[in-house]
Amino acid sequence: MATLDDFYSIIPAGGTGSRLWPLSRADAPKFLHDLTGSGKTLLRATYDRLSPLSGPGRTMVVTGRAHRAAVEAQIPELEDANIVLEADPRDSTVAVALAAAILRRREPDVIVGSFAADHVIDDERAFRRVTAEAVAAARAGYIATIGITPTEPAIGFGYIRAGDSVGVADAPRAAIVREFVEKPSAQVAQRYLDEGDYLWNAGMFIARADVLLAELASEEPELAAQIEELAEAWDEPARRGPAVDRIWPQLQKIAIDYSVAEPAAARGRMVVVPGDFDWDDVGDFSAVAKLHNNGRRGRLAILGTEGTVLADSASGIVVSQSKRIVSVVGIHDVVVVDTPDALLVTTTDNAQRVKQVVDAVRRSGNTDAL
């Protein structure tokens, strides 16, 4: 597929992946790990997936100051001007909108696409084809998202209800977004699957930068003005630091779903393109186990130093990062994560509850383990 000359990729690389603790930590978050066994971290795989679309030198990574060296080590070809460092996390609106505002000053008609650094997509050709449709819809003035065709009644994802086609010539499958739906119950998720007009919300957003920023200004004018002020100073290092020190602490924390996507959908300006490719946000250890076991139960996935893991009649996943021998016997759907300073033992059915453990550790004051 040819490079899209007016397109620029944005990769927000933040968060700690708390449901993957103790593997994922504040100083080594999920996107800096190889969770697929491909030999690439999730961040590097995301960059490689997007480069053929946006072209050399047209990918921007937004990350925390503490992760700059790790990001540069993973993507050595990334230009300094395309690394945006957050003073501290301010959620996805600031990450995406600031990148869009910086890029719009460099290239007024640019179309931007935001793609999380820690998702897994195997069929890259299909991904690029669908993204090209979303870019075409963005050229027509819409804010576009990519919705994943569901394969099961998942309760861990939000959903998008698709409506009628919007009739964009180069985006034949682009449909108006009727509503965004939060994570449903199992019964409701099954109904969504049966009805067929609901897609998983993968958090991918594609739009002309000026359209996205105008939508934000309509819904959150104070935040939009602050972001524009930051962007105006960003490419001048002498002005950037003082601007960040003055403005950043005031920035509102809000997800782009609430500041841009849902309001745009309510105004009929949001479209969704169905994604006909395998996708996973690798949200917990159950998802990691599925990736390594090809979605089948009854197998034991082993990550890390396989020579230290002994298993008999066991299934699930073992992550070994210590020199200890880990033996798992007669336990099914188990999750064992062994690191030098922390041990997690749970089941794949309870993998989402790991975040509660992280919250408890934080309350205990033992932040070194996080």
Side-chain angles (χ1 to χ4, degrees):
M1 179 174 291
T3 298
L4 305 173
D5 294 336
D6 54 353
F7 180 63
Y8 220 105
S9 301
I10 299 170
I11 305 177
T16 59
S18 56
R19 290 183 178 86
L20 291 174
W21 180 88
L23 177 64
S24 181
R25 309 283 186 105
D27 60 349
K30 181 172 68 166
F31 62 84
L32 293 176
H33 290 274
D34 173 11
L35 297 181
T36 65
S38 67
K40 296 181 181 180
T41 65
L42 299 183
L43 172 63
R44 181 71 221 193
T46 302
Y47 182 88
D48 289 346
R49 184 164 58 245
L50 291 167
S51 291
L53 278 171
S54 49
R58 293 178 65 82
T59 297
M60 177 173 278
V61 176
V62 185
T63 193
R65 289 174 175 171
H67 301 133
R68 175 173 189 158
V71 168
E72 289 176 338
Q74 287 297 313
I75 314 173
E77 64 267 46
L78 191 64
E79 298 175 11
D80 185 69
N82 282 339
I83 302 177
V84 173
L85 299 178
E86 297 182 296
D88 59 73
R90 280 293 186 267
D91 218 320
S92 56
T93 296
V94 170
V96 177
L98 176 57
I102 294 168
L103 292 171
R104 183 168 66 100
R105 277 168 171 74
R106 298 177 187 173
E107 190 176 322
D109 296 326
V110 70
I111 294 172
V112 296
S114 171
F115 305 88
D118 54 6
H119 292 179
V120 174
I121 295 171
D122 289 330
D123 190 345
E124 297 188 2
R125 182 174 297 180
F127 165 77
R128 289 192 281 267
R129 183 176 63 248
V130 171
T131 302
E133 282 198 51
V135 170
R139 289 193 190 106
Y142 291 100
I143 297 176
T145 188
I146 295 173
I148 308 301
T149 303
T151 56
E152 60 181 340
I155 62 174
F157 305 138
Y159 284 73
I160 302 167
R161 188 182 180 193
D164 296 333
S165 170
V166 291
V168 175
D170 293 328
R173 294 180 297 170
I176 201 74
V177 172
R178 297 175 66 179
E179 64 176 330
F180 288 92
V181 185
E182 297 293 341
K183 297 176 182 179
S185 66
Q187 183 178 6
V188 172
Q190 183 62 57
R191 177 167 61 82
Y192 290 167
L193 188 65
D194 294 340
E195 290 182 4
D197 54 355
Y198 287 84
L199 303 163
W200 288 336
N201 184 359
M204 305 176 192
F205 298 102
I206 300 93
R208 278 185 5 218
D210 60 340
V211 170
L212 185 148
L213 293 166
E215 192 66 46
L216 177 63
S218 177
E219 190 68 19
E220 300 286 347
E222 182 179 0
L223 179 58
Q226 292 167 331
I227 287 172
E228 292 287 2
E229 190 174 354
L230 278 171
E232 195 271 333
W234 199 266
D235 283 338
E236 298 180 40
R239 298 177 59 210
R240 181 196 308 163
V244 169
D245 292 343
R246 177 171 48 86
I247 298 170
W248 202 274
Q250 307 172 41
L251 295 175
Q252 179 186 1
K253 291 184 178 182
I254 183 172
I256 197 168
D257 306 70
Y258 306 128
S259 65
V260 173
E262 291 187 3
R267 287 190 267 270
R269 302 306 304 159
M270 190 88 201
V271 301
V272 60
V273 180
D276 50 354
F277 48 82
D278 291 337
W279 165 87
D280 203 307
D281 71 347
V282 206
D284 58 31
F285 284 110
S286 177
V288 179
K290 285 182 179 179
L291 284 174
H292 285 265
N293 293 331
N294 296 319
R296 301 176 187 173
R297 290 199 167 194
R299 297 181 178 182
L300 184 71
I302 300 173
L303 279 70
T305 309
E306 295 191 23
T308 65
V309 178
L310 304 175
D312 182 14
S313 300
S315 64
I317 184 170
V318 175
V319 181
S320 173
Q321 288 196 322
S322 77
K323 296 180 180 180
R324 284 186 289 267
I325 296 174
V326 178
S327 181
V328 184
V329 180
I331 305 176
H332 296 284
D333 300 326
V334 70
V335 174
V336 178
V337 184
D338 184 35
T339 71
D341 64 340
L343 172 67
L344 170 72
V345 181
T346 185
T347 65
T348 53
D349 287 342
N350 288 285
Q352 285 277 317
R353 297 173 63 185
V354 172
K355 186 178 185 299
Q356 299 173 24
V357 176
V358 173
D359 293 340
V361 172
R362 184 175 290 109
R363 289 194 298 269
S364 75
N366 188 12
T367 54
D368 289 346
L370 301 177

